[in-house]
Amino acid sequence: MVKKNIFSILLALIILYLSLASSETFEKVRYFNSSFFDKIVHSVMYMGFMSVIIFENRKSINSNLQLFLLALIPFVYGILMELFQLTLTTSRSASFYDVIANAAGILTSLLFWLWIKPHITGKIRS
């Protein structure tokens, strides 16, 4: 199971680091020092996280319900990261808008998968 999901585990660890690293670490990136850019980064990170989860489990996803249950993994993980920022760091803060941005990225990945899946399965069967 772990070997099958190695990329999603690695991505989760990267997100953990990025979420809990001191804010001073990111002050070097002055060109992108805006709240709007931060939300784009959140969306892209969690879209990637969800996409990797889908890709690693694509053969075992038999229904949309399973797909949406899988989406709970990055969604809950994102909430945990915000709670960890609130409680475990002194230079970071939790944000409801970060959770919304995470959810938008997850939803984008879900919608893309639902759109592309019929095209992929049709080619596999041919």
Side-chain angles (χ1 to χ4, degrees):
M1 178 81 168
V2 171
K3 191 173 183 181
K4 176 183 174 186
N5 296 319
I6 192 73
F7 292 111
S8 57
I9 292 169
L10 287 172
L11 196 50
L13 291 173
I14 291 168
I15 291 172
L16 175 71
Y17 169 75
L18 293 173
S19 297
L20 299 181
S22 171
S23 62
E24 294 170 1
T25 305
F26 305 107
E27 286 183 10
K28 297 174 185 173
V29 189
R30 297 213 184 268
Y31 296 111
F32 306 112
N33 202 10
S34 74
S35 178
F36 180 72
F37 182 75
D38 176 60
K39 302 312 174 240
I40 291 172
V41 169
H42 275 267
S43 291
V44 170
M45 280 193 319
Y46 281 85
M47 180 179 68
F49 191 18
M50 185 67 214
S51 296
V52 168
I53 290 171
I54 290 170
F55 182 77
E56 289 177 334
N57 296 286
R58 68 192 179 281
K59 293 180 182 175
S60 60
I61 299 171
N62 297 320
S63 69
N64 289 345
L65 177 61
Q66 285 179 322
L67 184 63
F68 285 102
L69 289 175
L70 272 177
L72 290 176
I73 295 169
F75 183 72
V76 170
Y77 189 78
I79 292 172
L80 283 173
M81 290 303 103
E82 293 302 314
L83 292 174
F84 288 165
Q85 285 180 345
L86 182 66
T87 59
L88 300 178
T89 67
T90 56
S91 65
R92 306 295 293 268
S93 61
S95 168
F96 174 73
Y97 296 109
D98 287 348
V99 174
I100 297 299
N102 298 347
I106 293 165
L107 184 60
T108 301
S109 179
L110 288 173
L111 292 173
F112 182 72
W113 174 253
L114 290 171
W115 175 70
I116 200 168
K117 185 180 177 184
H119 303 291
I120 293 173
T121 55
K123 293 188 185 243
I124 293 172
R125 291 181 185 161
S126 301

